[in-house]
Structures are given as structure tokens and as C-alpha cells.
Amino acid sequence: MSKDDFRAKMYIALKECNESRYWLRLLNKSRYLTKEEFDSIYKDSEEILKLLASITKTTSDKIKK
């Protein structure tokens, strides 16, 4: 897998994570999830989002050099 391919896949994962967070907020508003469930899952998704954003930024910076 090339660096461009890796970066593209990480960017797709970042977008998917954002979409998952949107659905989690909807599930929370509809009270499908308890507050505790939502808080736990949403906190985990925030960590994943930060990780994917960092990977995407780092690989983009390295490719530009």
C-alpha cells in the first residue's frame, strides 16, 4: 500500500467516524441509548476521531515534503 493509499483510507475512516458520532447523537436524542451508554461510547469515538485526525494530518504533512 502506498502512502497516498494509506492517507486516503485514514481520511475515509475519519469521515466514517464523524458520521458514526452523528448517529450516536441521534440515538441519544431519541433516548435509544442511556446517558451512561452514550457518554461512554461518545468518549471513545472522540479518542478515535483525534487519533484518525492526527494520522491524516501527519501523513499529509509527510507526503508534501
Side-chain angles (χ1 to χ4, degrees), residues 12-64:
I12 290 169
L14 180 63
K15 291 186 339 183
E16 293 291 335
C17 185
N18 273 320
E19 183 178 353
S20 295
R21 288 166 54 88
Y22 166 78
W23 286 106
L24 285 169
R25 288 189 299 271
L26 286 179
L27 290 170
N28 184 49
K29 284 186 178 187
S30 68
R31 297 191 177 149
Y32 187 82
L33 295 175
T34 65
K35 179 173 175 20
E36 293 79 22
E37 289 172 329
F38 171 77
D39 289 344
S40 175
I41 297 169
Y42 202 77
K43 182 180 176 189
D44 290 342
S45 74
E46 188 172 350
E47 293 299 317
I48 294 168
L49 185 72
K50 287 178 185 178
L51 180 65
L52 291 170
S54 177
I55 291 169
T56 302
K57 183 180 180 327
T58 301
T59 55
S60 293
D61 291 347
K62 286 183 179 181
I63 290 173
K64 290 179 184 175

